[in-house]
Amino acid sequence: MRLIGNILWIILGGIEIAIGWAIVGLVLCVTIIGIPLGIQAFKMAGLTLVPFGKTVRYSGGVGSTLANIVWVVLVGVWMAIGYVLAGVINCVTIIGIPFGIQSFKMAKLALWPFGAQIDNL
């Protein structure tokens, strides 16, 4: 079921969003200051490409929390809102509920990426 979900996800727009995240990561990594943010963008690209069968585990300390606060203020809120809206739209139909759940998972990661680990189930 994970394979079918990931294939449908990629066909229905996951590849475009993942490429967008990867481009953002590359642009951010051009500067030394942007490298930590670029790494988080690559993390989002990986999860966005194949979200089914993956979980996000949160850990980290004070440094991660401070970096997440900066991330939330700069871009995290807007990205999370976009994923939440996509999740709500997907959940309107019964067949879209699994895709909505994945969008909500990505919204949480888009809001608070530092200190998050992406694990396979």
Side-chain angles (χ1 to χ4, degrees):
M1 199 64 185
R2 293 179 197 163
L3 179 64
I4 294 170
N6 283 326
I7 290 171
L8 287 173
W9 182 270
I10 289 170
I11 291 170
L12 297 174
I15 188 105
E16 290 89 359
I17 298 170
I19 289 170
W21 274 111
I23 291 170
V24 168
L26 287 172
V27 170
L28 287 170
C29 285
V30 169
T31 64
I32 293 174
I33 295 172
I35 290 174
L37 300 174
I39 292 170
Q40 303 314 309
F42 290 133
K43 188 186 300 182
M44 282 299 303
L47 181 64
T48 301
L49 187 60
V50 285
F52 289 91
K54 295 188 178 183
T55 60
V56 180
R57 182 175 42 92
Y58 290 92
S59 60
V62 175
S64 294
T65 303
L66 293 175
N68 278 323
I69 291 170
V70 171
W71 177 272
V72 166
V73 170
L74 293 177
V75 294
V77 171
W78 300 111
M79 292 181 181
I81 288 171
Y83 278 116
V84 167
L85 288 175
V88 169
I89 291 169
N90 281 317
C91 286
V92 169
T93 64
I94 293 174
I95 200 165
I97 291 174
F99 298 102
I101 292 169
Q102 300 309 313
S103 293
F104 295 139
K105 177 173 40 176
M106 286 183 276
K108 186 176 179 184
L109 183 64
L111 188 64
W112 208 254
F114 287 92
Q117 302 291 326
I118 300 172
D119 298 327
N120 293 326
L121 289 175

